[in-house]
Amino acid sequence: MPPEDTATAKEWELRDYLDLALRRKTVILLAFALTFLITAAYQLTRTPVYSAFTSFIIDESASSSGVGSERYNPYAYWMEQGKPLEYYQAIMGSQVYQAKINERASHDADLLGASGVTRADIDRAIASISLAMDEKSQLMTISVQAYHPQVAYKVAQIATDVFRERTQEIDVESAQDVVRFIDKQRQEAQDRLEEAERALQQYSGAGQVVFI
């Protein structure tokens, strides 16, 4: 093999990179200036996005007085078990929850009277509603984003109010379902017992069973 083909490539050092940068400084400065101008123009012309959020903690052991409470419901133990984040996210994604929010927003005087606010802005804010939870503190947060600060604030408030009302409704409905299930099981057991007693009486009347 010829000696010229066995020459090894020179390893680049920091000084070589600096020399290259100095030789190409005009191109580098133009690229940096162009990137800066594009970024600045985007930040100055884009529509600002406002965020609003509400933080709270759900106490699973505290039931309101009524059907779902421990005072009136002996099966309240099943309602006091902790629920995962996905359970509450499913509530917020349900049609019932979305319908309640849309109805509440459609009749909110602050939203309807806000200057420059359209129905599309409200719908966009409702679509941005999200729920997150901190695993350590169990603190839950409902967040909303909108192009208007008033819309972000009011939709976050409405979303929180509807969330509280809907979770209470589901707790009451679940407690009633438990009571109805227990009553049904008890009634079925009572029917089976009565049927067995009637069958026993028939056998006894036919002389097939002798009682002492």
Side-chain angles (χ1 to χ4, degrees), residues 139-185:
L139 189 68
M140 306 186 74
T141 302
I142 293 179
S143 303
V144 176
Q145 292 184 343
Y147 291 139
H148 298 270
Q150 181 73 2
V151 174
Y153 168 75
K154 287 301 299 183
V155 171
Q157 186 181 53
I158 293 173
T160 304
D161 293 340
V162 175
F163 177 79
R164 181 179 61 251
E165 296 170 3
R166 184 58 186 150
T167 51
Q168 290 176 352
E169 290 175 359
I170 292 177
D171 285 344
V172 172
E173 292 171 0
S174 300
Q176 292 174 343
D177 289 341
V178 171
V179 174
R180 282 193 293 266
F181 175 77
I182 297 298
D183 289 342
K184 181 180 179 181
Q185 295 296 315

Side-chain angles (χ1 to χ4, degrees), residues 21-52:
L22 291 175
R23 290 196 301 269
R24 298 287 189 267
K25 62 181 179 180
T26 302
V27 177
I28 295 175
L29 291 176
L30 287 176
F32 175 79
L34 182 62
T35 303
F36 175 79
L37 291 175
I38 293 176
T39 304
Y42 172 75
Q43 294 293 336
L44 293 175
T45 56
R46 74 185 184 97
T47 304
V49 178
Y50 300 90
S51 298

Side-chain angles (χ1 to χ4, degrees), residues 25-130:
K25 62 181 179 180
T26 302
V27 177
I28 295 175
L29 291 176
L30 287 176
F32 175 79
L34 182 62
T35 303
F36 175 79
L37 291 175
I38 293 176
T39 304
Y42 172 75
Q43 294 293 336
L44 293 175
T45 56
R46 74 185 184 97
T47 304
V49 178
Y50 300 90
S51 298
F53 64 90
T54 304
S55 298
F56 52 89
I57 293 179
I58 297 180
D59 186 3
E60 298 286 353
S61 63
S63 300
S64 58
S65 61
V67 178
S69 68
E70 214 174 292
R71 177 181 177 184
Y72 294 95
N73 182 11
Y75 315 106
Y77 167 80
W78 303 104
M79 304 302 300
E80 296 175 0
Q81 306 308 303
K83 303 178 182 66
L85 175 63
E86 291 76 13
Y87 170 82
Y88 297 105
Q89 288 176 336
I91 292 178
M92 296 182 65
S94 64
Q95 294 182 355
V96 175
Y97 179 82
Q98 295 295 327
K100 287 178 176 291
I101 286 185
N102 281 285
E103 181 181 2
R104 192 77 58 89
S106 300
H107 297 85
D108 188 272
D110 295 332
L111 284 177
L112 298 178
S115 176
V117 175
T118 64
R119 181 64 202 188
D121 296 328
I122 300 175
D123 293 338
R124 191 179 296 110
I126 293 176
S128 72
I129 297 174
S130 62

